[in-house]
C-alpha cells in the first residue's frame, strides 16, 4: 500500500477536491487529501461539517474496491467505521458506531464519515472516503442533536495528539479491513454489529415524518438497519430513518 498524502491549509472540502481530481486526471489508490480547515466541509444528507482550524483530522482517502459490487457499498462503510474505532481503541478510547456512519464515544459524536462511491455496472470503481475525526478540539458549539467530543476531550488529555499518527493508523486499519472484506463479508458485518450503538435496546426514531419506537436488532449485510416494532421487524436503508438522541431526554 503506497500512501501519498497532500496537505492543504485551507480547502473548500477535501471530498469535493478529491472527487474532482479523480474525475479529471485520475489519481492512485491511497491518495489522501487532508486539510487544516474547510470552507465548505460536507456532512451527510446535505449538512455542513465544521471544525476548528488545525485541530482535527479532515481528510479524504481514495480506494478502488473493485472487488465489491454496487449492492455491497455497506462494506466500505463498515470497513471505515471499524478502522476508525480500532484506531480510537489503540488510544484507549472505546468507541461505538451509530448507524450508519457516525462514530460515538459515550453518546457523543467524535467522528463523521462521508463515503462517496463511483459505481459502474459491475463494481464500485472508486470510493472517496471522507473522515472528519475530532482530535484536539475541546470547545464545541453543542447545539447539535448529538453533542460532539474529541479524542483529547474524551481522554481529558493535556497535550495535543498527533493528527499524522492518527491518520496513519486509520489507513493501516482500513487497509486491513478492506483486505478482510475480500475474503468474506460476514465477519466484517459481525464486527460492525458488535460495536453498534443501541444494539438490542429500545430506540426512538423518525421515519417518513413519524416518530416511532422499537428495538434495534442489528444491521444486515446490505447495511439495512432492522428495527422490531409492534407490527414486526422492519428494515430501513440509509436515509429512511433517523435515530433520536434518547440520552438527551
Ligand atoms: C457527517 O457526519 O455528517 C459526515 C461528516 C464528514 C466530514 C468529513 S471532513 C473531511 C471530508 N470532507 C468533507 O467535506 N466532508 C468529510
Amino acid at each position: 500500500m503506497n500512501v501519498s498524502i497532500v496537505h492543504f491549509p485551507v480547502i473548500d472540502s477535501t471530498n469535493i477536491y478529491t472527487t474532482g481530481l479523480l474525475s479529471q486526471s485520475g489519481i492512485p489508490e491511497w491518495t489522501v487529501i487532508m486539510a487544516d480547515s474547510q470552507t465548505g466541509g460536507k456532512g451527510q444528507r446535505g449538512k455542513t461539517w465544521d471544525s476548528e482550524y488545525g485541530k482535527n483530522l479532515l481528510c479524504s482517502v481514495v480506494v478502488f474496491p473493485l472487488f465489491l459490487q454496487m449492492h455491497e457499498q455497506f462494506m466500505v462503510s463498515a470497513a471505515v467505521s471499524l478502522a476508525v474505532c480500532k484506531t480510537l481503541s489503540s488510544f484507549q478510547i472505546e468507541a461505538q458506531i451509530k448507524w450508519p456512519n457516525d462514530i460515538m464515544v459515550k453518546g457523543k459524536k467524535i467522528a463523521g464519515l462521508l463515503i462517496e462511491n463511483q459505481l459502474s455496472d459491475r463494481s464500485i470503481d472508486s470510493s472517496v472516503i471522507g473522515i472528519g475525526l475530532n482530535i484536539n478540539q475541546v470547545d464545541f458549539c453543542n447545539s447539535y442533536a448529538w453533542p460532539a467530543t474529541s479524542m483529547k476531550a474524551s481522554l481529558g488529555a493535556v497535550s495535543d495528539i498527533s493528527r499524522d499518527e492518527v491518520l496513519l493508523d486509520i489507513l493501516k486499519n482500513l487497509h486491513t479491513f478492506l483486505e478482510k472484506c475480500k475474503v468474506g463479508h460476514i465477519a466484517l458485518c459481525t464486527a460492525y454489529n458488535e460495536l453498534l450503538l443501541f444494539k438490542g435496546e429500545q430506540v426512538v426514531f423518525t421515519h417518513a415524518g413519524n416518530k416511532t419506537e422499537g428495538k434495534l436488532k442489528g444491521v444486515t449485510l446490505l447495511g439495512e438497519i432492522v428495527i422490531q416494532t409492534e407490527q414486526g421487524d422492519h428494515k430501513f436503508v440509509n436515509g429512511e430513518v433517523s435515530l433520536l438522541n434518547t440520552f438527551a431526554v
Side-chain angles (χ1 to χ4, degrees):
M1 155 194 178
N2 260 336
V3 177
S4 150
I5 301 175
V6 184
H7 189 151
F8 290 90
V10 184
I11 202 168
D12 52 353
S13 147
T14 58
N15 264 44
I16 293 177
Y17 183 83
T18 309
T19 306
L21 275 187
L22 204 57
S23 62
Q24 284 154 25
S25 48
I27 37 177
E29 190 170 33
W30 299 106
T31 297
V32 181
I33 305 295
M34 67 186 287
D36 291 321
S37 160
Q38 301 180 116
T39 52
K42 277 170 57 171
Q44 292 161 31
R45 294 183 219 156
K47 293 191 190 136
T48 55
W49 184 259
D50 300 318
S51 173
E52 203 178 314
Y53 186 91
K55 298 273 183 183
N56 302 319
L57 179 65
L58 304 168
C59 70
S60 300
V61 184
V62 177
V63 294
F64 300 149
L66 294 159
F67 53 91
L68 291 173
Q69 294 179 12
M70 194 197 273
H71 66 276
E72 297 170 328
Q73 293 183 64
F74 170 64
M75 282 300 126
V76 181
S77 169
V80 186
S81 303
L82 290 167
V84 173
C85 287
K86 188 158 186 216
T87 294
L88 289 171
S89 146
S90 70
F91 281 83
Q92 319 304 327
I93 298 171
E94 214 179 293
Q96 287 183 294
I97 305 166
K98 182 167 81 66
W99 180 86
N101 279 326
D102 290 340
I103 310 300
M104 312 292 291
V105 174
K106 297 196 174 94
K108 295 184 173 179
K109 181 161 167 173
I110 196 164
L113 311 172
L114 181 67
I115 300 163
E116 299 183 290
N117 295 320
Q118 289 71 44
L119 308 170
S120 66
D121 304 348
R122 294 216 316 244
S123 64
I124 305 179
D125 286 352
S126 56
S127 296
V128 172
I129 298 169
I131 304 172
L133 169 62
N134 297 329
I135 299 185
N136 291 314
Q137 183 169 343
V138 287
D139 296 317
F140 296 96
C141 127
N142 265 330
S143 57
Y144 310 115
W146 296 86
T149 190
S150 67
M151 294 176 70
K152 188 173 177 180
S154 59
L155 287 170
V158 183
S159 30
D160 275 3
I161 298 159
S162 156
R163 290 182 294 164
D164 290 342
E165 195 187 319
V166 173
L167 170 62
L168 292 178
D169 199 67
I170 292 176
L171 295 175
K172 180 194 76 188
N173 290 335
L174 179 57
H175 182 260
T176 307
F177 281 115
L178 286 173
E179 286 300 307
K180 279 192 183 157
C181 199
K182 287 183 187 166
V183 183
H185 297 177
I186 295 174
L188 232 66
C189 188
T190 305
Y192 181 99
N193 274 290
E194 279 166 4
L195 293 181
L196 187 64
L197 181 70
F198 296 141
K199 175 139 192 283
E201 294 176 28
Q202 221 34 41
V203 288
V204 183
F205 61 98
T206 52
H207 169 58
N210 298 315
K211 204 163 152 181
T212 321
E213 241 184 85
K215 182 176 167 187
L216 199 167
K217 293 183 77 177
V219 173
T220 68
L221 277 170
L222 297 179
E224 307 138 316
I225 195 167
V226 184
I227 304 180
Q228 180 185 44
T229 68
E230 283 170 358
Q231 285 76 44
D233 285 0
H234 297 271
K235 286 182 187 169
F236 299 102
V237 297
N238 186 3
E240 278 183 347
V241 282
S242 202
L243 296 178
L244 298 186
N245 185 358
T246 40
F247 290 122
V249 182

